[in-house]
Amino acid sequence: MRVGVLQMDCQFREIEKNRQKADRMLEGVSVDLLVLPEMAFTGYCFGSRDDISGFMDHRTIEWATEVAMRLDCLVQVGYPKPWRNSICLVDKSGLLLEYDKHFLYSQDEHWAEEGSGFTNYRHPVHGCVGVGICMDVNPYKFEAPFEDFEFANWHKDNGSKLILLSNNWLGDKLDPMETIQYWAIRLDPLREKDVTVVISNRVGREGEVRFCGSSCVLQSRNSKWHLLGCMDTVQEGVLVLDLSLQ
């Protein structure tokens, strides 16, 4: 399976410019699976429902399906809708799954409501595909016990073997391994289940907020996490890796 992870600097409120930029970045790319960040084309730091109401990105599912048709692949990408922070998983036939972020970050709480719960999708070729968005991997509201591992345990208990995460992860770290090691810790219950995790995060700034990139692919084998590839904290591009699903 050839996996593509798109990491880019999304310009706040510039939906069409960002979408065109992603199209340019995908020129010449050949993959079976493509993962893009959370709220990939709108930007992230909206302050209220009034602030975001004109930026509900209604065309993203259509765009993702067009890409899936062109590349003959699965595509996951994030976007806002009323009043949810969402991702879609599509193939060339159209929408397979829509998921609403279950654990909201404080920035989301200005406008979004929680999704109903974690989920996965049983794909006829790639098996049980779990999906998530950024804060989902953290303790609920940063108040739940760290060792509850809600996201990882749900996917462990429900048989997810390929997990796709679309992130807008914040941070000032310059070493991507610091962020990747934290993600691996938060996914620890899955380490014994031989799973593959694909994480797409953005780079750049919105005001004082910095996004820390570090997009990567992790795979657990023999109860250990293995980093198959990653990007740094500032670069834009598409990480492409050939891998075997377990």
Side-chain angles (χ1 to χ4, degrees), residues 227-244:
L227 177 62
L228 303 187
C230 72
M231 302 183 76
D232 69 22
T233 60
V234 295
Q235 73 187 115
E236 297 182 274
V238 183
L239 174 69
V240 177
L241 296 169
D242 290 304
L243 54 91
S244 296

Side-chain angles (χ1 to χ4, degrees), residues 25-38:
M25 293 172 69
L26 291 171
E27 290 177 0
V29 170
S30 175
V31 293
D32 302 303
L33 167 68
L34 176 67
V35 183
L36 290 89
E38 172 184 11

Side-chain angles (χ1 to χ4, degrees), residues 14 64 83 100 116 119 139 207 215 219:
E14 298 285 353
W83 297 107
D100 303 326
S116 59
T119 194
S215 299
Q219 196 169 67

Side-chain angles (χ1 to χ4, degrees), residues 87 97-104 114-121 129-141 144 148-158 160 163-165 186-187:
I87 52 175
L97 175 70
E98 192 171 29
Y99 167 74
D100 303 326
K101 191 174 186 178
H102 185 36
F103 287 3
L104 300 183
E114 290 182 3
S116 59
F118 303 128
T119 194
N120 55 22
Y121 173 81
V129 181
V131 300
I133 306 174
C134 202
M135 179 68 187
D136 282 332
V137 305
N138 277 316
Y140 181 64
K141 293 184 178 290
D148 281 2
F149 296 109
E150 300 100 316
F151 178 85
N153 275 320
W154 190 95
H155 286 283
K156 175 184 175 182
D157 294 342
N158 288 274
S160 300
I163 296 175
L164 314 178
L165 285 166
R186 290 304 305 162
L187 296 166

Side-chain angles (χ1 to χ4, degrees), residues 99-111:
Y99 167 74
D100 303 326
K101 191 174 186 178
H102 185 36
F103 287 3
L104 300 183
Y105 186 59
S106 56
Q107 185 67 46
D108 302 308
E109 293 174 347
H110 293 303
W111 65 273

